[in-house]
Amino acid sequence: MIVSAVLTATPLHFDQAAYLAALDRAHARSYHSYFNQYVLTDDEAGFITVDEGDYGALAPRLYDRIVETVPSKLCDEI
């Protein structure tokens, strides 16, 4: 398992189960996408996974919510 700096500096309200679920989802999606996967904080769900290709380029207002980036595993450049 990949250990992130997010897990080492955990505030009291940190939901580790939600974070790991979002991180697992990001890793799983990265194998089938040409775009980076981002784990973002979310007020309702704790953490969510967003594919950069879902919404075009990631909106600048979301940059502060990024806690992890998983690079895509697909490449169309040969």
Side-chain angles (χ1 to χ4, degrees):
M1 176 166 68
I2 299 171
V3 177
S4 169
V6 173
L7 292 178
T8 60
T10 57
L12 294 176
H13 63 278
F14 182 78
D15 185 355
Q16 185 174 358
Y19 169 73
L20 291 177
L23 185 60
D24 287 345
R25 195 173 316 112
H27 279 282
R29 290 176 67 171
S30 72
Y31 286 97
H32 307 284
S33 177
Y34 292 100
F35 302 99
N36 290 337
Q37 306 296 311
Y38 297 102
V39 176
L40 305 175
T41 58
D42 183 62
D43 292 335
E44 294 178 18
F47 295 93
I48 59 171
T49 302
V50 175
D51 185 312
E52 188 174 35
D54 287 344
Y55 307 103
L58 196 63
R61 62 183 164 75
L62 299 178
Y63 291 159
D64 291 338
R65 295 176 46 195
I66 296 173
V67 292
E68 196 74 46
T69 301
V70 178
S72 67
K73 306 294 190 264
L74 293 179
C75 179
D76 59 353
E77 298 177 7
I78 296 178

